[in-house]
Amino acid sequence: MPSTKTRVAIVGAGMAGLVMARHVTSKLNTYSLTVFEQTGQIGGTWVYTDETHLDKHGLLVHSSMYKNLRTNIPKELMQIPDFPFEDQDGPSFIHHSAIRLYILKYADHFNLYPYIKLNTLVKYVEPEVLANGQTLWSLTYVDLKTQVEITKTYDAMVLCNGHYTVGDVPHIPGIESFHGDCIHSHQYRLPEIYTGKKVCILGGSWSGIDIALEVAQYADKVYLSHNLPEPINLSKFANIEQRSGVAFIQGDLFTFLDDSFTKVDSFIYCTGYKFTYPFMSAKVDMRTDDNHVEPIYKYLVHMDYTNLFLMGLPALVIPFPMFHLEAQYILGVLEGRIQLPSSQQMREKYESEKKSLIDQGIPIRHIYKLKDRQWAYYDEIAAAVNVPTFPPLVRKINDHVTKMRDTNITEYKSYKYRIIDSETFSVSCYKPC
C-alpha cells in the first residue's frame, strides 16, 4: 500500500535544514523525511575547512568560515528556544567551533542523523503537476562516493542550501591588470599571510570590518574601501585607512572614487554572496538577480508552488531562532492550518510591499536585510501559526549590542550578556574592554 505520509525533502543539513528536520520528525505519523547534504558533515557554513576552492569531490567548498571568526550576535540571542546553550557563564560572542558543537548536539538531541544522507549531491529538482492540480517534486541525487544516481518523488521541498558559497564579485575596470593575490572573503582563512603587505579590502559590512581588523594586526597597511555615508570608528588601528569604493585598477595602483590612489599588494572582496539554486528546473520561475530571490511570499513560500519553501533568506537577523519560527510556519502551510492567499493575491501583496520599501529608499538588493524590520517579520509568521514570537527581551539585548557595536566596533565582543528574567538582563565586561 502506498504511504499516506507527506514526503518531505530538505536540501542542506546546515542549521536551517536541521531545524526544519527537527520539526518534521516531531510528527513522524504525518511525515516521512530525507535530508540531502553534499558534504560529509552537518553544519553548513559553520564547518571550518582549510580548503578554499574545491573539495575532495571537485565541488565548490561550501563553507566561508575563517579560522578566528567569532559570532557578531551573543549566544544568548542565537540559542534556539527549545535548545539553550549548555555554557551560560562563558563569553557571549563565541568562536565558530562552539557553534559547530552546539549544532552537533542539537542534531543528536533530536535524533536527526537517521534522516540525513551525507555526501549526496542534489542534481535536479523538477515539479510534476498531476491531473488533479497537485504538484509533486521529482528529485535526482547522486551518491558522491559510489556515483550512483537515483530519482525519487516528494510531496514538499524545503531548500536550505545556504547562500554563503558563491561570492558576488563586482567587476572593477582594470582588475585583469592586477597581479597581486586576489580573493573573495569566501576564500579568506588566516590573517598571517598578509604580514608586511599593503591590503585593500572592498566592503564595509560586518565581514569586511572583521577581516580588516584581523589583517591589520599583521599587514603594513589596510585600505578599507567602502561607500558608507560615515566613516567607521577604527581609530585604535593606526594602519587602517578608510577609502571610498574602488573606481579602477592599473597594475598594483588602485584609484578610488574620491580620486585618491595607492599601491596595493593584496585585494580581498568582502562584497557579499549570490543566491544560487543550480539544481532547480527551469520550469520553476526563480529569479535571483541583484541579491534578491523572487517570487517568494513571506521570504518563505514560492508563489507558484506553495509546497516549495526557501528557508533563511533574510539577513541582518537572529538566524537560529528565526529558523525555529520559519519551520513551524512551513508545517502550518503543509497541514492547512495557514491558508495562503491565491498566487495572484500573494504577488499583489508582495509587489505592494516591495514598492513601499523602494519608495523608502531601500534598494532591491537590500530588501532581505531586515534589521529593524525583523521584529515585525517574527511576530507575523509566529501569529500566523499561533506559536510564541521572540520575547521583548531579545530585542532589548539586540538593541544594546547594536549600540555597543556602533559606539566601538573593535570592543563590542568583549561584553558578556546574562538573561536575569523575562524582562531584564545584565551586561558586563567578560575581558578588558
Side-chain angles (χ1 to χ4, degrees), residues 306-319:
T306 55
N307 57 354
L308 172 61
F309 306 93
L310 290 77
M311 282 182 70
L313 295 183
L316 301 186
V317 292
I318 303 172

Side-chain angles (χ1 to χ4, degrees), residues 242-368:
Q242 295 180 62
R243 298 288 180 94
S244 57
V246 180
F248 59 90
I249 298 168
Q250 294 168 296
D252 63 355
L253 190 68
F254 280 48
T255 299
F256 301 93
L257 292 172
D258 60 4
D259 294 329
S260 65
F261 53 86
T262 189
K263 289 193 172 183
V264 168
D265 302 310
S266 303
F267 187 28
I268 306 175
Y269 289 94
C270 293
T271 45
Y273 292 85
K274 295 180 178 179
F275 290 99
T276 57
Y277 304 95
F279 45 77
M280 186 56 67
S281 164
K283 292 179 182 178
V284 178
D285 177 20
M286 279 178 60
R287 302 181 298 281
T288 57
D289 305 329
D290 214 5
N291 202 33
H292 188 72
V293 186
E294 295 185 4
I296 309 299
Y297 183 69
K298 302 299 181 196
Y299 310 119
L300 271 177
V301 188
H302 196 286
M303 296 181 205
D304 297 330
Y305 301 95
T306 55
N307 57 354
L308 172 61
F309 306 93
L310 290 77
M311 282 182 70
L313 295 183
L316 301 186
V317 292
I318 303 172
F320 295 2
M322 180 185 74
F323 301 154
H324 185 73
L325 291 182
E326 289 186 331
Q328 293 175 89
Y329 184 96
I330 289 169
L331 292 189
V333 172
L334 290 177
E335 294 163 14
R337 292 180 285 115
I338 294 175
Q339 295 295 323
L340 295 172
S342 69
S343 177
Q344 181 180 344
Q345 289 170 329
M346 284 192 280
R347 286 176 185 273
E348 289 171 355
K349 185 172 176 59
Y350 167 76
E351 291 296 338
S352 172
E353 290 173 353
K354 183 169 77 169
K355 182 180 184 304
S356 173
L357 293 171
I358 292 171
D359 288 346
Q360 293 171 44
I362 299 172
I364 288 177
R365 70 181 184 277
H366 290 164
I367 284 178
Y368 281 166

